[in-house]
Amino acid sequence: MGILSSSIARKVAMALSAFFLMFFLLIHVSVNLVSVFSEDAFNTASHFMGTNPLIQYAMQPILLFGVIFHFVLGFVLELKNRNARVVKYYKNNGAANSTWMSRNMIFSGLVILAFIVLHFIDFWFPEVNYKYIAHLPEDPSRYYGELVHKFENPIRVGAYVVAFIFLALHLLHGFQSAFQSMGCNNKYTKYVKSFGKWYALLIPALFIFIALFHYFSH
Ligand code: HEM
């Protein structure tokens, strides 16, 4: 794998892609949060994001590459870690020396991946179809209605909420692990770790709030 042939390089690449995706989540939750406050503002923001060429043709492909890169490398790391240890840790008896989150990153990652497939079927594919396949005329006020419509179905809302809980578990370990992989360890480490915990809980909580808000208010 060339540049990714050393295990340190793989960890750093994993961490960098993780930070990039965490930055995306911050933007994503912020735009979605607008839908709770104002239909017009949400339509304006979505129309901008959906039609701006820089976002559509530069940011979006980079983002999709980032998502695929992160989960492919995640699998590679998991497999390498498993194979590297023919003799299992003498003391790796679960909760005694590691957290559930750290031992189950591949599992929480798979739940998030399943969510992304569902999420793309819900939002992204119809959007690509609307703009680039069916070439329907752009209506800048369509976005809010499309969003609200998706959150009428309690099964979808339930599946989303479960996925957001796994996202929190993934981020709780992921943030501090990515930080550690970057080799940063100094007097600010404890503040960064506590920031990471806040981030890991707040972002999924906001996503849950948005989904439930639309479910209960329409
Ligand atoms: C209440 C929660 C959420 C809502 C309402 C929501 C809404 C949306 C909408 C409307 C789009 C379509 C954007 C477009 O026009 O292309 C979208 C795209 C996307 N969402 Fe979400 N989302 C939520 C949570 C999440 C979460 C938790 C993740 C990641 C774990 C995520 C990942 C993505 C990705 C990767 C895209 C494709 C972005 C693009 O290239 O357009 N979303 N989301």
Side-chain angles (χ1 to χ4, degrees):
M1 243 196 299
I3 195 173
L4 293 178
S5 59
S6 92
S7 102
I8 303 281
R10 280 193 295 270
K11 280 195 170 186
V12 170
M14 193 65 185
L16 287 174
S17 63
F19 282 125
F20 171 69
L21 294 176
M22 288 192 264
F23 176 66
F24 158 73
L25 278 183
L26 192 62
I27 297 176
H28 198 40
V29 85
S30 310
V31 174
N32 290 345
L33 211 48
V34 174
S35 72
V36 166
F37 300 108
S38 155
E39 176 171 347
D40 283 347
F42 179 72
N43 279 332
T44 308
S46 302
H47 176 69
F48 171 77
M49 301 290 274
T51 52
N52 182 285
L54 191 68
I55 292 175
Q56 287 295 302
Y57 304 118
M59 296 307 286
Q60 186 157 275
I62 294 174
L63 173 63
L64 294 181
F65 175 79
V67 171
I68 295 169
F69 181 87
H70 189 75
F71 83 73
V72 170
L73 196 56
F75 272 108
V76 172
L77 283 175
E78 173 76 14
L79 291 177
K80 294 242 175 211
N81 285 343
R82 285 188 182 201
N83 294 341
R85 202 162 296 111
V86 182
V87 180
K88 298 286 169 222
Y89 274 137
Y90 173 59
K91 271 199 167 169
N92 196 358
N93 53 352
N97 49 15
S98 63
T99 65
W100 186 92
M101 275 92 80
S102 72
R103 280 176 280 120
N104 291 283
M105 288 304 274
I106 194 79
F107 178 66
S108 52
L110 277 172
V111 175
I112 297 167
L113 184 59
F115 162 78
I116 289 182
V117 172
L118 172 69
H119 193 48
F120 273 32
I121 294 171
D122 283 348
F123 289 104
W124 197 65
F125 295 145
E127 188 62 26
V128 169
N129 179 52
Y130 191 106
K131 283 188 298 219
Y132 304 115
I133 300 171
H135 295 290
L136 296 170
E138 175 58 6
D139 168 10
S141 63
R142 70 187 163 90
Y143 298 93
Y144 184 80
E146 287 171 0
L147 179 92
V148 164
H149 174 64
K150 292 288 174 204
F151 291 99
E152 282 165 2
N153 181 339
I155 297 173
R156 179 183 284 109
V157 174
Y160 270 47
V161 169
V162 170
F164 299 154
I165 293 170
F166 277 94
L167 178 64
L169 296 175
H170 196 77
L171 290 171
L172 270 171
H173 177 72
F175 188 98
Q176 62 106 17
S177 171
F179 185 68
Q180 202 166 325
S181 297
M182 299 303 293
C184 316
N185 203 348
N186 52 42
K187 62 181 173 170
Y188 302 111
T189 300
K190 65 175 188 284
Y191 300 111
V192 177
K193 282 197 170 173
S194 102
F195 171 82
K197 276 197 182 132
W198 274 101
Y199 174 94
L201 295 173
L202 193 64
I203 301 276
L206 287 172
F207 277 125
I208 292 176
F209 168 69
I210 295 163
L212 294 181
F213 176 87
H214 289 301
Y215 178 68
F216 287 113
S217 61
H218 297 283

